[in-house]
Amino acid sequence: MKISKDKYVEVSYDLNVGEGNDRELMEKATEESPLKFIFGMGLMLPAFEKALEGLEVGETFDFSLAPADAYGEYDEAHVLDLPKNIFEVDGQFDAERIKEGNTVPMMDAEGNHLNGSVLEVKEDVVVMDFNHPLAGETLHFNGKVIDVHEATAEEIAAFTAPMSCGCGDCGGGCGSNCGDGGNCGEKKNGCGCGCH
């Protein structure tokens, strides 16, 4: 059976970013813990799905996605100085969570959920980066198709049910979908459940 619309798919892969000998392993989906999705549901990057379309169980793949086909170019306009007082809890600045290097779930004025990375905490402002962590990166995937079958009603329901997000890193599963984590083939700036 070939990967095509509405098929349940499992793949293992290594994701590397960078060019030439400077590539860095960013994520690994193993055969024991593969990326699982239903092809064509809109949860994955379109270019990621296009590269897998037509493959069968046991076939391997090796392809790259340019930033335009992945998470876009890095945009300096997405780096913002936010007033420090918006990070207060009970009148006190939340220094435990708001520190350089941390990723913080936030909401914009329209109610959209997004994650911001804390770049710097200054006297009156917090410098936050709202670019996807892989913005500006070329993504290099190589892996293997583990399973392809007709999606069952239960599998479809599992991928369409409302998910609660627990935001995390780029490691898959819904615990990482509010922002910058998740399986990196997924388009919603995060994990496998598409909470963005």
CSV table of all heavy atoms in Angstrom, one decimal, residues 79-121:
chain,number,residue,atom,x,y,z
A,79,VAL,N,11.0,39.5,16.9
A,79,VAL,CA,11.8,39.7,18.2
A,79,VAL,C,11.2,41.0,18.8
A,79,VAL,O,11.3,42.1,18.2
A,79,VAL,CB,13.3,39.8,17.9
A,79,VAL,CG1,14.0,40.0,19.3
A,79,VAL,CG2,13.8,38.5,17.3
A,80,LEU,N,10.6,40.9,20.0
A,80,LEU,CA,9.9,42.0,20.6
A,80,LEU,C,10.4,42.3,22.0
A,80,LEU,O,10.7,41.3,22.7
A,80,LEU,CB,8.4,41.7,20.6
A,80,LEU,CG,7.7,41.3,19.3
A,80,LEU,CD1,6.3,40.9,19.5
A,80,LEU,CD2,7.8,42.5,18.3
A,81,ASP,N,10.4,43.5,22.3
A,81,ASP,CA,10.6,43.9,23.7
A,81,ASP,C,9.2,44.0,24.4
A,81,ASP,O,8.4,44.9,24.0
A,81,ASP,CB,11.3,45.3,23.8
A,81,ASP,CG,12.7,45.3,23.4
A,81,ASP,OD1,13.2,44.1,23.2
A,81,ASP,OD2,13.3,46.3,23.2
A,82,LEU,N,8.9,43.2,25.4
A,82,LEU,CA,7.6,43.2,26.1
A,82,LEU,C,7.8,43.8,27.5
A,82,LEU,O,8.8,43.5,28.1
A,82,LEU,CB,7.1,41.8,26.1
A,82,LEU,CG,6.8,41.1,24.8
A,82,LEU,CD1,6.3,39.7,25.0
A,82,LEU,CD2,5.8,41.9,23.9
A,83,PRO,N,6.8,44.6,27.9
A,83,PRO,CA,6.9,45.1,29.3
A,83,PRO,C,7.1,44.0,30.3
A,83,PRO,O,6.3,43.0,30.3
A,83,PRO,CB,5.6,45.9,29.4
A,83,PRO,CG,5.0,46.0,28.1
A,83,PRO,CD,5.6,44.9,27.2
A,84,LYS,N,7.9,44.2,31.2
A,84,LYS,CA,8.2,43.2,32.2
A,84,LYS,C,7.0,42.9,33.1
A,84,LYS,O,6.8,41.8,33.6
A,84,LYS,CB,9.4,43.7,33.1
A,84,LYS,CG,10.2,42.6,33.7
A,84,LYS,CD,11.5,43.2,34.3
A,84,LYS,CE,12.3,42.1,35.0
A,84,LYS,NZ,13.5,42.7,35.6
A,85,ASN,N,6.2,44.0,33.3
A,85,ASN,CA,5.0,43.8,34.2
A,85,ASN,C,4.0,42.7,33.7
A,85,ASN,O,3.2,42.2,34.5
A,85,ASN,CB,4.3,45.1,34.5
A,85,ASN,CG,3.6,45.7,33.3
A,85,ASN,OD1,4.0,45.4,32.1
A,85,ASN,ND2,2.7,46.6,33.5
A,86,ILE,N,4.0,42.4,32.4
A,86,ILE,CA,3.0,41.4,31.9
A,86,ILE,C,3.4,40.0,32.4
A,86,ILE,O,2.7,39.1,32.2
A,86,ILE,CB,2.8,41.4,30.4
A,86,ILE,CG1,4.1,41.0,29.6
A,86,ILE,CG2,2.3,42.8,29.9
A,86,ILE,CD1,3.8,40.8,28.1
A,87,PHE,N,4.6,39.9,32.9
A,87,PHE,CA,5.1,38.6,33.4
A,87,PHE,C,5.0,38.5,34.9
A,87,PHE,O,5.7,37.7,35.5
A,87,PHE,CB,6.5,38.3,32.9
A,87,PHE,CG,6.7,38.3,31.4
A,87,PHE,CD1,7.1,39.4,30.8
A,87,PHE,CD2,6.3,37.2,30.7
A,87,PHE,CE1,7.3,39.4,29.4
A,87,PHE,CE2,6.4,37.2,29.3
A,87,PHE,CZ,6.9,38.3,28.7
A,88,GLU,N,4.2,39.3,35.5
A,88,GLU,CA,4.0,39.3,37.0
A,88,GLU,C,3.0,38.3,37.4
A,88,GLU,O,1.9,38.1,36.7
A,88,GLU,CB,3.7,40.7,37.5
A,88,GLU,CG,4.8,41.7,37.4
A,88,GLU,CD,4.4,43.0,37.9
A,88,GLU,OE1,3.3,43.2,38.4
A,88,GLU,OE2,5.3,43.9,37.9
A,89,VAL,N,3.2,37.6,38.5
A,89,VAL,CA,2.3,36.7,39.2
A,89,VAL,C,2.1,37.2,40.6
A,89,VAL,O,3.1,37.3,41.3
A,89,VAL,CB,2.8,35.3,39.2
A,89,VAL,CG1,1.8,34.4,39.9
A,89,VAL,CG2,3.0,34.8,37.7
A,90,ASP,N,0.9,37.6,40.9
A,90,ASP,CA,0.6,38.1,42.3
A,90,ASP,C,1.5,39.3,42.6
A,90,ASP,O,2.0,39.5,43.7
A,90,ASP,CB,0.7,37.1,43.3
A,90,ASP,CG,-0.3,35.9,43.2
A,90,ASP,OD1,-1.4,36.2,42.7
A,90,ASP,OD2,0.1,34.8,43.5
A,91,GLY,N,1.7,40.2,41.6
A,91,GLY,CA,2.4,41.4,41.7
A,91,GLY,C,3.9,41.3,41.7
A,91,GLY,O,4.7,42.3,41.9
A,92,GLN,N,4.4,40.1,41.5
A,92,GLN,CA,5.9,39.8,41.5
A,92,GLN,C,6.3,39.3,40.1
A,92,GLN,O,5.6,38.4,39.5
A,92,GLN,CB,6.3,38.8,42.6
A,92,GLN,CG,6.0,39.2,44.0
A,92,GLN,CD,6.9,40.3,44.4
A,92,GLN,OE1,8.1,40.3,44.1
A,92,GLN,NE2,6.4,41.4,45.1
A,93,PHE,N,7.4,39.8,39.6
A,93,PHE,CA,8.0,39.3,38.3
A,93,PHE,C,8.3,37.8,38.5
A,93,PHE,O,8.9,37.4,39.5
A,93,PHE,CB,9.2,40.0,37.9
A,93,PHE,CG,9.9,39.5,36.7
A,93,PHE,CD1,9.3,39.8,35.4
A,93,PHE,CD2,11.0,38.8,36.7
A,93,PHE,CE1,9.8,39.3,34.3
A,93,PHE,CE2,11.6,38.3,35.6
A,93,PHE,CZ,11.0,38.6,34.3
A,94,ASP,N,7.8,37.0,37.5
A,94,ASP,CA,8.0,35.5,37.6
A,94,ASP,C,9.4,35.1,37.1
A,94,ASP,O,9.6,34.6,36.0
A,94,ASP,CB,7.0,34.8,36.7
A,94,ASP,CG,7.0,33.3,36.8
A,94,ASP,OD1,7.8,32.8,37.5
A,94,ASP,OD2,6.1,32.7,36.1
A,95,ALA,N,10.4,35.4,37.9
A,95,ALA,CA,11.8,35.1,37.5
A,95,ALA,C,12.1,33.7,37.4
A,95,ALA,O,13.1,33.3,36.8
A,95,ALA,CB,12.8,35.8,38.6
A,96,GLU,N,11.3,32.8,38.0
A,96,GLU,CA,11.5,31.4,37.9
A,96,GLU,C,11.3,30.9,36.5
A,96,GLU,O,12.1,30.1,36.0
A,96,GLU,CB,10.5,30.7,38.9
A,96,GLU,CG,10.8,29.2,39.0
A,96,GLU,CD,12.0,28.8,39.7
A,96,GLU,OE1,12.5,29.6,40.6
A,96,GLU,OE2,12.6,27.7,39.4
A,97,ARG,N,10.3,31.4,35.8
A,97,ARG,CA,10.0,30.9,34.4
A,97,ARG,C,10.5,31.8,33.4
A,97,ARG,O,10.8,31.4,32.3
A,97,ARG,CB,8.4,30.8,34.3
A,97,ARG,CG,7.9,29.7,35.1
A,97,ARG,CD,6.4,29.5,34.9
A,97,ARG,NE,6.0,29.3,33.5
A,97,ARG,CZ,5.0,29.8,32.9
A,97,ARG,NH1,4.1,30.6,33.6
A,97,ARG,NH2,4.7,29.6,31.7
A,98,ILE,N,10.6,33.1,33.7
A,98,ILE,CA,11.0,34.1,32.7
A,98,ILE,C,12.5,34.4,32.8
A,98,ILE,O,12.9,35.3,33.5
A,98,ILE,CB,10.2,35.4,32.8
A,98,ILE,CG1,8.7,35.1,32.9
A,98,ILE,CG2,10.5,36.3,31.6
A,98,ILE,CD1,8.1,34.3,31.7
A,99,LYS,N,13.3,33.5,32.2
A,99,LYS,CA,14.7,33.6,32.2
A,99,LYS,C,15.3,33.2,30.9
A,99,LYS,O,14.7,32.4,30.1
A,99,LYS,CB,15.4,32.9,33.4
A,99,LYS,CG,15.1,31.4,33.4
A,99,LYS,CD,15.6,30.8,34.7
A,99,LYS,CE,15.2,29.4,34.9
A,99,LYS,NZ,15.5,28.9,36.2
A,100,GLU,N,16.4,33.8,30.6
A,100,GLU,CA,17.1,33.5,29.3
A,100,GLU,C,17.1,32.1,28.9
A,100,GLU,O,17.5,31.2,29.7
A,100,GLU,CB,18.5,34.1,29.3
A,100,GLU,CG,19.1,34.1,27.9
A,100,GLU,CD,20.5,34.8,28.0
A,100,GLU,OE1,20.6,35.8,28.7
A,100,GLU,OE2,21.4,34.4,27.2
A,101,GLY,N,16.7,31.7,27.7
A,101,GLY,CA,16.7,30.4,27.2
A,101,GLY,C,15.4,29.6,27.4
A,101,GLY,O,15.2,28.6,26.7
A,102,ASN,N,14.5,30.1,28.3
A,102,ASN,CA,13.2,29.4,28.5
A,102,ASN,C,12.3,29.8,27.3
A,102,ASN,O,12.3,30.8,26.8
A,102,ASN,CB,12.6,29.8,29.8
A,102,ASN,CG,13.1,29.0,30.9
A,102,ASN,OD1,14.1,28.2,30.8
A,102,ASN,ND2,12.6,29.3,32.1
A,103,THR,N,11.4,28.8,27.1
A,103,THR,CA,10.3,29.0,26.1
A,103,THR,C,9.0,29.1,26.9
A,103,THR,O,8.7,28.3,27.8
A,103,THR,CB,10.2,27.8,25.1
A,103,THR,OG1,11.4,27.8,24.4
A,103,THR,CG2,9.0,28.0,24.1
A,104,VAL,N,8.2,30.2,26.6
A,104,VAL,CA,7.0,30.5,27.4
A,104,VAL,C,5.8,30.5,26.5
A,104,VAL,O,5.8,31.2,25.5
A,104,VAL,CB,7.2,31.9,28.0
A,104,VAL,CG1,6.0,32.3,28.9
A,104,VAL,CG2,8.5,32.0,28.8
A,105,PRO,N,4.7,29.8,26.9
A,105,PRO,CA,3.5,29.8,26.1
A,105,PRO,C,2.8,31.2,26.4
A,105,PRO,O,2.7,31.7,27.5
A,105,PRO,CB,2.6,28.7,26.7
A,105,PRO,CG,3.2,28.4,28.0
A,105,PRO,CD,4.7,28.8,28.0
A,106,MET,N,2.4,31.8,25.3
A,106,MET,CA,1.7,33.1,25.4
A,106,MET,C,0.5,33.2,24.4
A,106,MET,O,0.3,32.3,23.7
A,106,MET,CB,2.7,34.2,25.0
A,106,MET,CG,3.9,34.2,26.0
A,106,MET,SD,5.0,35.6,25.7
A,106,MET,CE,4.0,36.9,26.5
A,107,MET,N,-0.2,34.3,24.5
A,107,MET,CA,-1.3,34.5,23.6
A,107,MET,C,-1.2,35.9,23.1
A,107,MET,O,-0.9,36.9,23.8
A,107,MET,CB,-2.6,34.3,24.4
A,107,MET,CG,-3.9,34.3,23.6
A,107,MET,SD,-5.4,34.1,24.6
A,107,MET,CE,-5.1,32.5,25.3
A,108,ASP,N,-1.5,36.1,21.8
A,108,ASP,CA,-1.5,37.4,21.2
A,108,ASP,C,-2.9,38.1,21.4
A,108,ASP,O,-3.8,37.5,22.0
A,108,ASP,CB,-1.1,37.4,19.7
A,108,ASP,CG,-2.1,36.7,18.8
A,108,ASP,OD1,-3.2,36.5,19.2
A,108,ASP,OD2,-1.7,36.4,17.7
A,109,ALA,N,-3.0,39.4,20.9
A,109,ALA,CA,-4.2,40.1,21.1
A,109,ALA,C,-5.4,39.5,20.5
A,109,ALA,O,-6.6,39.8,20.9
A,109,ALA,CB,-4.0,41.6,20.6
A,110,GLU,N,-5.2,38.7,19.5
A,110,GLU,CA,-6.3,38.0,18.8
A,110,GLU,C,-6.7,36.6,19.4
A,110,GLU,O,-7.5,35.9,18.9
A,110,GLU,CB,-6.0,37.8,17.3
A,110,GLU,CG,-6.1,39.0,16.5
A,110,GLU,CD,-4.8,39.9,16.6
A,110,GLU,OE1,-3.7,39.3,16.6
A,110,GLU,OE2,-4.9,41.1,16.7
A,111,GLY,N,-6.0,36.3,20.5
A,111,GLY,CA,-6.3,35.0,21.2
A,111,GLY,C,-5.5,33.8,20.6
A,111,GLY,O,-5.8,32.7,21.0
A,112,ASN,N,-4.6,34.1,19.7
A,112,ASN,CA,-3.8,33.0,19.1
A,112,ASN,C,-2.7,32.5,20.1
A,112,ASN,O,-2.0,33.4,20.7
A,112,ASN,CB,-3.1,33.4,17.8
A,112,ASN,CG,-4.1,33.8,16.8
A,112,ASN,OD1,-5.1,33.0,16.5
A,112,ASN,ND2,-4.0,34.9,16.2
A,113,HIS,N,-2.5,31.2,20.3
A,113,HIS,CA,-1.5,30.7,21.2
A,113,HIS,C,-0.2,30.7,20.4
A,113,HIS,O,-0.2,30.3,19.2
A,113,HIS,CB,-1.9,29.3,21.6
A,113,HIS,CG,-3.0,29.3,22.6
A,113,HIS,ND1,-2.9,29.4,23.9
A,113,HIS,CD2,-4.3,29.1,22.3
A,113,HIS,CE1,-4.1,29.4,24.5
A,113,HIS,NE2,-5.0,29.2,23.5
A,114,LEU,N,0.9,31.1,21.0
A,114,LEU,CA,2.2,31.0,20.4
A,114,LEU,C,3.2,30.9,21.5
A,114,LEU,O,3.0,31.2,22.7
A,114,LEU,CB,2.5,32.2,19.6
A,114,LEU,CG,2.4,33.6,20.2
A,114,LEU,CD1,3.3,34.6,19.5
A,114,LEU,CD2,1.0,34.1,20.2
A,115,ASN,N,4.4,30.4,21.2
A,115,ASN,CA,5.5,30.3,22.2
A,115,ASN,C,6.5,31.4,21.9
A,115,ASN,O,6.8,31.6,20.7
A,115,ASN,CB,6.1,28.9,22.1
A,115,ASN,CG,5.4,27.9,22.9
A,115,ASN,OD1,4.4,28.2,23.6
A,115,ASN,ND2,5.8,26.7,22.9
A,116,GLY,N,7.1,31.9,22.9
A,116,GLY,CA,8.2,32.9,22.7
A,116,GLY,C,9.4,32.4,23.5
A,116,GLY,O,9.2,31.9,24.6
A,117,SER,N,10.5,32.5,22.9
A,117,SER,CA,11.8,32.2,23.6
A,117,SER,C,12.3,33.5,24.3
A,117,SER,O,12.4,34.5,23.6
A,117,SER,CB,12.8,31.7,22.6
A,117,SER,OG,12.3,30.5,22.0
A,118,VAL,N,12.7,33.4,25.5
A,118,VAL,CA,13.2,34.5,26.2
A,118,VAL,C,14.7,34.7,25.8
A,118,VAL,O,15.5,33.8,26.0
A,118,VAL,CB,13.2,34.3,27.8
A,118,VAL,CG1,13.8,35.5,28.5
A,118,VAL,CG2,11.7,34.1,28.2
A,119,LEU,N,15.0,35.8,25.2
A,119,LEU,CA,16.4,36.1,24.7
A,119,LEU,C,17.1,36.8,25.8
A,119,LEU,O,18.3,36.6,26.0
A,119,LEU,CB,16.4,36.9,23.4
A,119,LEU,CG,15.8,36.2,22.2
A,119,LEU,CD1,15.9,37.2,21.0
A,119,LEU,CD2,16.4,34.9,21.9
A,120,GLU,N,16.4,37.7,26.5
A,120,GLU,CA,17.1,38.6,27.5
A,120,GLU,C,16.1,39.2,28.5
A,120,GLU,O,15.0,39.6,28.0
A,120,GLU,CB,17.9,39.7,26.8
A,120,GLU,CG,18.8,40.5,27.7
A,120,GLU,CD,19.6,41.5,27.0
A,120,GLU,OE1,19.5,41.6,25.7
A,120,GLU,OE2,20.3,42.3,27.7
A,121,VAL,N,16.4,39.3,29.7
A,121,VAL,CA,15.6,40.0,30.7
A,121,VAL,C,16.3,41.2,31.1
A,121,VAL,O,17.4,41.2,31.6
A,121,VAL,CB,15.3,39.1,32.0
A,121,VAL,CG1,14.5,39.9,33.0
A,121,VAL,CG2,14.6,37.8,31.6
